[in-house]
Amino acid sequence: MAGADRSWCDQTLAAERTAWQDCDGGASRRRNTDQKEIFMSNVIKFERPPEPKAPKPKKTLSPARRKALIFAGIAVAFVATWGYFTLFGS
């Protein structure tokens, strides 16, 4: 039943299209039944911008680990300096 109604509707729309196009060659006023009508509104929609994401908390080192890394860095620097002057020193 729905298929029969649909074909009747398609035939009616095709007949309307040709009837409007035949009037004045269709140049002066042609009804476009292929596209949906677009309604324009002069009301401005104000939308909030998306909220910024919360910053990730920085990973902090414990004071003991920070002191150990500083000491290890200084020790590596002294060993590298000693090795440079031992191998390439004058």
Side-chain angles (χ1 to χ4, degrees):
M1 182 89 179
D5 292 339
R6 186 174 184 93
S7 64
W8 175 81
C9 183
D10 290 340
Q11 291 171 359
T12 306
L13 286 175
E16 284 183 8
R17 282 189 202 120
T18 56
W20 278 94
Q21 289 172 358
D22 291 340
C23 176
D24 290 337
S28 62
R29 43 190 170 168
R30 180 173 295 183
R31 189 167 80 173
N32 188 2
T33 57
D34 292 336
Q35 297 177 354
K36 294 181 179 179
E37 293 183 30
I38 300 173
F39 294 102
M40 296 183 66
S41 174
N42 52 354
V43 177
I44 299 173
K45 280 187 173 180
F46 291 99
E47 296 179 4
R48 289 185 179 190
E51 293 185 20
K53 295 180 181 178
K56 293 182 180 178
K58 292 182 179 180
K59 293 181 180 179
T60 57
L61 297 174
S62 66
R65 184 173 278 182
R66 180 178 288 169
K67 286 179 185 177
L69 284 174
I70 291 172
F71 178 75
I74 292 172
V76 167
F78 276 119
V79 170
T81 304
W82 174 79
Y84 176 78
F85 283 111
T86 301
L87 297 174
F88 303 108
S90 49

